[in-house]
Amino acid sequence: MATARPPISVVIPTYHALRYLPACLSAVQAQLRPYDEIVLVDNHSRDRAGAWVRAHLPAVRVLDRPYNAGFAGGVNAGIAVARGDLILLINDDALAEPGCVEALWQALAMSPAAGWAAGVLTFSRQPNIIAGAGIRFQADGIATDRDLGLPVSALPSQPQPVFGASGGLALLRRSMLDDIGLFADFFSYLEDADLAWRARLRGWECVLAPHARARHVYSATAGVASPLKQRLLGRNRLRMIIRCLPTPLLVACLPSILAYDGMVLAYAALRRQPALIAGRLMALAEVPTLLRQRRVIQDRRTATIPALARWIEPPAGPLTTWRLQRRLARLTQPATT
């Protein structure tokens, strides 16, 4: 007998993305049931996205924010007012393909120990190429998209365990969030990886739903390699590492972490990209606060170190990373006429 699906609250934070919203909302709305809801969190967009949605899609609940709280703040605000037992996150610049919501639910229903299910994001102009199929974590402290750049034909045919889900397309149980808390106040980037670690520390699993797919405009908000993104990634990477890695794993990974950051700092100085340095300095200034947060998070750990260690993958290596970045740059180039 099929498991009855609990109500879903779709939470979509938006910021200056009115050009994408009509398609995003329409695609999701077509897959919901009468008892589900959509909560759009308008992060003080200058394009008046919230006003447009109120006028044209009255079934959507709009939550206006007085300032831009980023992805993390927007999602947390939406979850706070959402009514569903399940929370569906999808980026405002993503287009859910038919069957996406049902595939997420089926994967989650088949995995009682899973607190969330990861969807598959593909590139908007090349939907046969994977932009991310959940999150993977490396020994050098990099949390990145799984299967980035691979063809969708490489996806498994059935749901499978993954380290965590991207906040760009995921279905979360409210019970997991009640246990581990909401997204960390990272503004944007790596708040989903931080959540993945906190879920793992408490024994929550994550499952990939390979048939739940959405076409995504990659880094539409901040740009693929903008100074803002570089600064946030540098800061949030160290925040996540300090907060979440248990001491035995942190000690084991520390040489690789330091080697990676050393290469990044040398690259930043050579290429005159100060944002890469500034983000790390911001995190270092927060160390006392981060250590207090770490104590709270680690004191609640129930998972064993071996169970956590199995999710830490070897570093990709500089050459592999460079090739992947080159391919990503090609995949995200603006269309030409």
Side-chain angles (χ1 to χ4, degrees), residues 270-305:
L270 182 65
R271 299 299 296 269
R272 297 182 180 180
Q273 296 187 14
L276 292 168
I277 302 172
R280 286 162 170 80
L281 292 176
M282 291 168 64
L284 291 177
E286 300 171 346
V287 165
T289 298
L290 295 174
L291 289 176
R292 287 194 294 270
Q293 295 171 354
R294 173 184 175 83
R295 283 192 289 272
V296 174
I297 293 170
Q298 298 302 322
D299 284 348
R300 300 194 71 243
R301 175 172 67 87
T302 56
T304 66
I305 295 299

Side-chain angles (χ1 to χ4, degrees), residues 31-157:
Q31 301 182 40
L32 300 182
R33 300 179 185 179
Y35 52 81
D36 299 326
E37 66 172 352
I38 299 178
V39 180
L40 180 75
V41 183
D42 186 356
N43 267 325
H44 204 59
S45 300
R46 289 192 298 270
D47 61 9
R48 296 181 54 79
W52 185 92
V53 171
R54 282 192 180 91
H56 295 87
L57 297 170
V60 176
R61 297 174 62 193
V62 178
L63 180 63
D64 290 312
R65 300 286 289 172
Y67 58 92
N68 180 15
F71 177 85
V75 165
N76 288 346
I79 293 173
V81 302
R83 297 186 288 258
D85 296 324
L86 299 172
I87 307 295
L88 173 62
L89 304 181
I90 185 168
N91 279 359
D92 57 7
D93 53 6
L95 184 67
E97 295 189 1
C100 175
V101 175
E102 183 63 20
L104 283 167
W105 161 241
Q106 290 299 328
L108 196 58
M110 290 168 55
S111 308
W116 51 339
V120 178
L121 293 170
T122 62
F123 289 96
S124 59
R125 295 196 307 276
Q126 298 194 51
N128 60 323
I129 302 296
I130 299 169
I135 299 172
R136 57 191 293 266
F137 186 83
Q138 299 178 176
D140 53 8
I142 294 178
T144 188
D145 297 304
R146 290 181 72 255
D147 299 337
L148 175 63
L150 295 181
V152 294
S153 59
L155 290 167
S157 59

Side-chain angles (χ1 to χ4, degrees), residues 183-206:
F183 287 90
D185 185 17
F186 283 12
F187 190 80
S188 291
Y189 303 113
L190 296 180
E191 59 274 292
D192 46 11
D194 182 276
L195 191 81
W197 264 112
R198 288 187 285 122
R200 285 281 166 198
L201 290 169
R202 290 288 294 166
W204 291 97
E205 299 289 331
C206 182

